Structure formats: structure tokens, C-alpha cells
Amino acid sequence: MPEAKFFLQSTDLVFRVFEDEDLAVVYDPRNGSTHLFSIVAHEIYQLLASSPASLQELKISLFQRFSDDDQEMISTAVDTAFVQLQCADLIDAVAN
Amino acid sequence: MKVSELSKHALFAILQRGELCIDMFPFVVRVRSDISELAEDIGRIYQDFPVLDSNCFTDFHVEVSYERGVRRWFRPLARFYFDGRPSFIPLPVDQAFPMLEWGINWCVAAHSHSFLIVHAAVIERQGVAVVMPAPPGSGKSTLCAALIGRGWRLLSDELALYDFETKQLYGMARPVSLKNQSIPIIQAHTPAAEITSPVPDTTKGTVALLRPPSESVQQVKIPARPAWIILPHYQVDADALLEPLSKGKAFMLIAEQSFNYNVHGREGFEAVGDLVDSCECFEFTYSRLSDAERVFDDLLARRING
């Protein structure tokens, strides 16, 4: 069974990334809510903004992008950020 | 004309007529009252504030007067009115001055959306400001009162007014609200400080109001550039500890402590982001005011010396 692909619920999210910080804030203009995420969530957002992707595809993209870093660490960070984005209702699975 | 130039009798008469217009830059507040003790407190604590012509434009019309009816004669209560309408529950008349202060805070926080308004103390020195957002009980007012007694300029102990355009801070330089143990602590720390008689049994415990330094009132129209966001924690017997606070967390703290962040939508998001981006952010644990003075002075010196 193919892995589920995810897409952004809104491409109008506004991220604020602070220099040398591992946290970022995001504003959702659909409902005025603000969230505090890890910086990895911003990376995922940017990837999903170009096209829907599965969790594994997201991880592979980030492994390639941050090839010097520990893959297990990246994988864990992506899992955490992914849950943050899902809980905030910012991403959803593409319907089959 | 300043409030101090009015005699007690004249001040009370103007208050009774509802013609006392106090310039609390950037706002003008028209005050009415039939409580003579309130007139005395205003005369003393607002002594350096300019009084404007009674025909001037005023942002807020407020009143703190005796609750009407026979009850006034055996258990006098005071009630706050905004634009002539009763607001909030009446309180014992000895709480009239704190009630006026809380009421003005509410007027500003609930209606003044030309600024991003943050529940925070703001002090300034040499043009740069410390913003101290913090929930009640964190010791921000105590810290603020102590530092303005040692050369820092008071902008506010409650409401930081952030200008969206200029990205600078204003604060009204109004009285500092001291609660419970902070009253004797500030009396001991700054013996020359002028403080009202403590009012016990308010919803916030015992409350007293500290007169803002004259220089702070005189410079109220001069904005300050935000340089630090410091989250204070008073902790008994703790050594002073200044620790970096992530800007993401500082952002969320400022947003949570803002009265009108949600009103402004994306503009509010960008304003908080700009404010946080322009500041170094810290958490500060302390127990001794002398330590706090040293830490804040060191921060300033470090910035000035590059």
C-alpha cells in the first residue's frame, strides 16, 4: 500500500524565523491563530508548498539537504514537526 | 498647568464638575469624582501631570463616585463609570484610587488599538528600553519600582504601548501599582518614594500606588527603542541569574500578554515579530534588588560599550 501523501491546508501561512534559533512562529490567516514550532516545521512547510509528499519523502529530502547531520536525529525532528503541523491543522493527507 | 498647581479645594471642585482633563500622553483622560479622598490621592500621585482645558478632546471619560442610595451612609462603596455607564462591580470606597487606576488600564487596553498593547513594565535609560512582560506575581512591578528609583526612566509598570510605524515604545508614566510585600520592600529600598497608604483586602491583596518620578512624567512624550525583553521571576533567596530566552518563546509570551494582538491579525504578528527581533531576550531570576540593579546596569553598559 503506498504511503499517504500530505499537503498544506493553506499556502498563506506566515512564518517568522529568527536568526540562530531552533524555534519559529507561524501565523495562520484562516483563523488568526499563532503557533510555536521547531524550525524543521518551516522546512517541511517549504517542501510541501512545492508539492504534496509522504513523510518518508520529506525525510529523504531533508537527509539530502542536511547530509552532514545525523539521519536519525533528522528523522526524529521531522516526526516531531510533522505532528506539530498536523495538530495545528496545517497539513492533511491527500484523499485516495 | 500641572495637577500640583491646583489647591486641594480647587482640584476637588474640578473633579466634582467632571472637568479634570489629565494629559496622560498619548491619551487624555477626563475624570469625575465626588470622593474627596480620591482628589487627595490624585493631587499627590499625579502632581506632575499636565491639566488640560476642560473643553479639550479627551480619549476617555471616567468617573469614580460613591454608589448612590442609602447604603452610602453605612457602608460606602465606589463605582467606576466609563462614558457615563457603570462598569465593574462597586468596591469599598477606600479602593477608589486603585479602582481608578485599574479602570484607566482597562480603558486603554480595551480601546486603544492604534498601538500594540502588551501587559508589561517598560523602563528606559539612554534611549533604550527593557520590556518586562510577566504574569502577576513575577515581581515585575517591584523590579520596575526599584529601578526607577535608581535612574531608569519609567514608561509603565503595566502597559507597554508599541507603535506599529516607528517600532518604538510609549508608556504614559502612570503610577506604579505595588502589591503586598513589595510595598515595604520599595519603602525600604527608596525611602524618598512617595507611596499612597496601603489599601488592604483588594482582589489583588494589599495595594499601594507609587508616584512616578517627575523626570519620567516630563519625558513621557519621548519614545524608547526596545532593546531587551526580560521575563523576571522573583524567587526567595535566589542568586541573580540572567539566562537567554529563545526568541520564539519570547514571541509567544509577548503575544499572550498582549491585550489586542488578535485584533490586529497579521499586522499584530509582524509587530510582535519586529519587537522580538529588535531585542535580546532573557529570563531573569532574582531575590535581591541590588543584584537586579547591577545586572540591568551591566546590560546597558555592555550595549553602550559595544
Side-chain angles (χ1 to χ4, degrees):
Chain A
M1 192 171 150
E3 212 187 358
K5 288 194 183 252
F6 292 85
F7 70 102
L8 290 174
Q9 294 268 34
S10 167
T11 52
D12 294 330
L13 302 179
V14 186
F15 271 84
R16 185 98 179 197
V17 177
F18 301 102
E19 205 178 324
D20 300 326
E21 294 259 341
D22 56 2
L23 294 173
V25 287
V26 59
Y27 175 72
D28 184 348
R30 294 173 303 166
N31 52 23
S33 60
T34 305
H35 308 276
L36 178 66
F37 291 149
S38 75
I39 194 76
V40 179
H42 181 237
E43 301 291 340
I44 293 174
Y45 171 79
Q46 288 178 313
L47 290 170
L48 291 179
S50 54
S51 67
S54 68
L55 183 57
Q56 193 54 35
E57 286 169 338
L58 291 169
K59 287 181 182 177
I60 290 167
S61 294
L62 290 173
F63 291 159
Q64 288 167 348
R65 190 154 166 202
F66 302 101
S67 54
D68 292 343
D69 291 315
D70 182 280
Q71 288 200 349
E72 198 177 316
M73 194 180 75
I74 292 173
S75 180
T76 305
V78 171
D79 286 337
T80 305
F82 198 80
V83 170
Q84 289 177 331
L85 289 165
Q86 275 187 313
C87 289
D89 206 20
L90 300 183
I91 58 174
D92 201 359
V94 177
N96 288 323
Chain B
M1 178 192 278
K2 288 182 187 174
V3 171
S4 60
E5 293 170 54
L6 294 167
S7 68
K8 276 186 188 177
H9 177 77
L11 178 58
F12 187 39
I14 292 171
L15 266 175
Q16 285 178 301
R17 294 198 301 272
E19 293 179 354
L20 181 65
C21 296
I22 305 178
D23 185 356
M24 302 185 192
F25 185 85
F27 307 109
V28 177
V29 181
R30 180 187 294 269
V31 189
R32 176 192 288 271
S33 182
D34 59 2
I35 302 170
S36 61
E37 294 84 352
L38 180 61
E40 286 179 27
D41 280 335
I42 290 173
R44 190 173 157 214
I45 302 300
Y46 274 98
Q47 62 181 262
D48 295 308
F49 283 71
V51 176
L52 303 180
D53 185 90
S54 62
N55 293 318
C56 73
F57 172 82
T58 51
D59 295 276
F60 307 114
H61 295 233
V62 302
E63 176 178 354
V64 176
S65 287
Y66 282 108
E67 179 77 331
R68 278 90 179 170
V70 70
R71 188 175 181 158
R72 169 176 175 175
W73 304 109
F74 59 92
R75 187 169 178 267
L77 296 173
R79 191 184 271 276
F80 181 85
Y81 298 81
F82 172 60
D83 278 349
R85 292 188 299 275
S87 309
F88 314 120
I89 57 165
L91 295 173
V93 77
D94 65 343
Q95 296 184 27
F97 193 41
M99 184 187 233
L100 175 67
E101 289 302 298
W102 299 331
I104 294 172
N105 286 344
W106 172 78
C107 289
V108 173
H111 302 94
S112 305
H113 301 315
S114 52
F115 294 93
L116 178 78
I117 304 173
V118 183
H119 180 215
V122 187
I123 54 173
E124 174 270 346
R125 205 164 192 175
Q126 301 200 20
V128 284
V130 183
V131 181
M132 294 188 277
S138 58
K140 81 176 156 50
S141 290
T142 314
L143 197 51
C144 175
L147 290 164
I148 63 172
R150 294 290 188 274
W152 289 77
R153 170 164 72 106
L154 170 72
L155 275 80
S156 180
D157 86 312
E158 278 288 323
L159 301 174
L161 308 176
Y162 183 71
D163 188 315
F164 290 94
E165 300 279 319
T166 64
K167 305 186 194 311
Q168 301 211 71
L169 291 158
Y170 293 90
M172 301 170 78
R174 287 174 46 227
V176 177
S177 179
L178 300 172
K179 292 157 215 98
N180 304 313
Q181 281 309 305
S182 69
I183 301 167
I185 287 171
I186 293 302
Q187 283 169 330
H189 177 270
T190 315
E194 201 162 339
I195 301 174
T196 59
S197 300
V199 181
D201 303 323
T202 78
T203 53
K204 301 182 182 196
T206 299
V207 170
L209 289 141
L210 167 71
R211 180 168 78 80
S214 302
E215 302 76 26
S216 298
V217 179
Q218 286 155 12
Q219 295 175 40
V220 71
K221 294 185 181 177
I222 303 171
R225 192 156 37 90
W228 303 279
I229 293 170
I230 297 181
L231 174 62
H233 298 288
Y234 174 79
Q235 193 176 308
V236 178
D237 295 332
D239 288 330
L241 180 63
L242 189 71
E243 298 173 289
L245 173 67
S246 104
K247 292 202 174 194
K249 287 182 180 169
F251 183 108
M252 297 305 282
L253 176 68
I254 294 280
E256 281 163 15
Q257 293 295 317
S258 169
F259 292 99
N260 59 357
Y261 171 75
N262 290 324
V263 171
H264 290 290
R266 180 166 177 178
E267 191 184 17
F269 178 83
E270 298 295 357
V272 175
D274 291 345
L275 172 60
V276 170
D277 248 342
S278 65
C279 290
E280 288 183 275
C281 305
F282 298 99
E283 287 183 85
F284 178 51
T285 305
Y286 76 103
S287 62
R288 290 175 292 276
L289 293 174
S290 55
D291 288 345
E293 289 160 25
R294 177 179 47 76
V295 167
F296 278 59
D297 287 348
D298 286 350
L299 271 178
L300 181 66
R302 202 182 71 197
R303 185 177 182 96
I304 288 167
N305 299 328

